[in-house]
Amino acid sequence: MPTTFITGGTVVSATGRTAADILVDGERIAALLEPGSTVLGTDLARTADTVIDATGKYVVPGGIDAHTHMSMPFGGTTASDDFETGTRAAAWGGTTTIIDFAVQKFGERLQDSLATWHEMAAGQCAIDYGFHQIVGDVNDASLQALRGLPDEGITSYKLFMAYPGVFYSDDAQILRAMQTGASTGLMTMMHAENGPAIDVLVGQLLEQGKTDPYYHGIARAWQLEEEATHRAIMLADLTGAPLYVVHVSAKQAVAQVASARDRGRNVFGETCPQYLYLSLEEQLGAPGFEGAKWVCSTPLRSRAEHHQDHMWQALRTNDIQMVATDHCPFCMKGQKDMGVGDFSKIPNGIGSVEHRMDLMYQGVVEGRISLERWVEITSTTPARMFGLYGRKGVLAPGADADVVIYDPNGHTSIGLGKTHHMNMDHSAWEGFEIDGHVDTVLSRGKVVVDAGEYLGRKGDGRFVRRDPCQYLI
Ligand SMILES: [Zn+2]
């Protein structure tokens, strides 16, 4: 099998950093070696099929984005990245695995929805991919189907406390699903916002003529995130289901997760780059209809209330465990603009899959998190949380050779339109200047991005079967 030798770099893991060379044999890492060492008298820098000079650079495990929505149907339209464009953009940004969501619609058989998503992704992906299962219709048949998911390599499912009439589950349904999830060894993922209360506020705001994107953030008040997070935690507590709260954005919801963890519960929190950097006032409140770019749920929170600083702090102290993107892009033209004059008709979602590694690295640059914590929250913990650790999330012999060579002295400008590779007509991150640069990306041993060139192709990525969560306490 072809060998690749990555030499001269600093290998960074969740627990430390060391000068080491890496030998890749085929799709896997064969060895980590002291710099300059030989193997059975062989100088690998001369004999390997490919030699990559990583001098002065960090060598880290490929990013794992555990929350993406390629081709997601929402509000009468479909997310603008499909599995081909979205995974290619991910690779450009140093992410080598995504975990996307198979979506069971109301009235649909759960097994059929999973088959549909397999069909959409097969042969399209640039990098490896797995699935979580969205359960949009909790009933006897769905609960029965949940029990079969581990055999399909799927060990997590997601419920929504928001979106009545679409994906919403009431408390009775949540309780029953959690009972099934707990006895089946599944992770319960929760979109924790009180949907029925939000819908009342949306109606009242629209009646008052408050139709701008800004009011999306007002309707989805932090109290309704805190309340739902608390309710989900209590139901998980009762049923013994491990709980993973997706896209935590309010500092009060963080406190709920932290308090459950302090009581020894298997409760975990995910946040996204938008909740660390962007705000209700600056982005959602941008003039005219501009704020539609940043309409996502949970919403961006108030800078004046310091949610963003709290979130960085929570990431540092492990009150929040990891960062995913909730990548769900929509174009302004023809998609977001469906909500001109009515913010409730703006499709919810931001595109970030390409920028997560860079954006989170800024936390290192700004002294908010350590270099090791950067690797942990973007790769190692997602791997452990969703049953991939050992194969993914770590650079060690036997692991898949998903490797990113990151240049701390490089620079990345996120500009208008086509400086990114996501299928969008705008960027939620326009104007961000990144200290650092993804130089080279290996996906299972194959160089897919190098020196500003994409060398992969669709179909390189394979479906990954996942084990149960490796993070339970
Ligand atoms: Zn989502």
Side-chain angles (χ1 to χ4, degrees), residues 67-69 72 101 134 158 160 191 246-247 270 297 326-328:
H67 189 159
T68 65
H69 297 284
M72 167 88 168
F101 291 83
I134 285 175
K158 181 179 175 188
F160 290 79
H191 179 133
V246 298
H247 50 55
E270 160 201 286
S297 297
D326 196 9
H327 179 78
C328 193

Side-chain angles (χ1 to χ4, degrees), residues 250-283:
K251 62 185 180 186
Q252 295 87 351
V254 172
Q256 292 295 333
V257 170
S259 135
R261 293 178 58 75
D262 289 347
R263 287 182 285 114
R265 300 301 184 236
N266 282 313
V267 173
F268 309 97
E270 160 201 286
T271 194
C272 311
Q274 53 267 36
Y275 308 121
L276 294 156
Y277 285 105
L278 310 178
S279 75
L280 171 71
E281 297 93 337
E282 296 149 292
Q283 277 76 30

Side-chain angles (χ1 to χ4, degrees), residues 306-324:
H306 304 292
H307 295 276
Q308 296 79 5
D309 286 339
H310 269 80
M311 198 60 78
W312 277 112
Q313 171 79 357
L315 265 185
R316 197 156 69 85
T317 58
N318 207 37
D319 283 347
I320 291 289
Q321 283 65 53
M322 53 181 270
V323 176

Side-chain angles (χ1 to χ4, degrees), residues 357-368:
M357 299 297 282
D358 279 333
L359 287 167
M360 297 320 302
Y361 182 71
Q362 298 318 287
V364 179
V365 173
E366 292 164 11
R368 292 178 181 272

Side-chain angles (χ1 to χ4, degrees), residues 43-56:
D43 179 1
L44 292 163
R46 287 173 184 278
T47 58
D49 297 306
T50 306
V51 176
I52 298 172
D53 181 4
T55 303

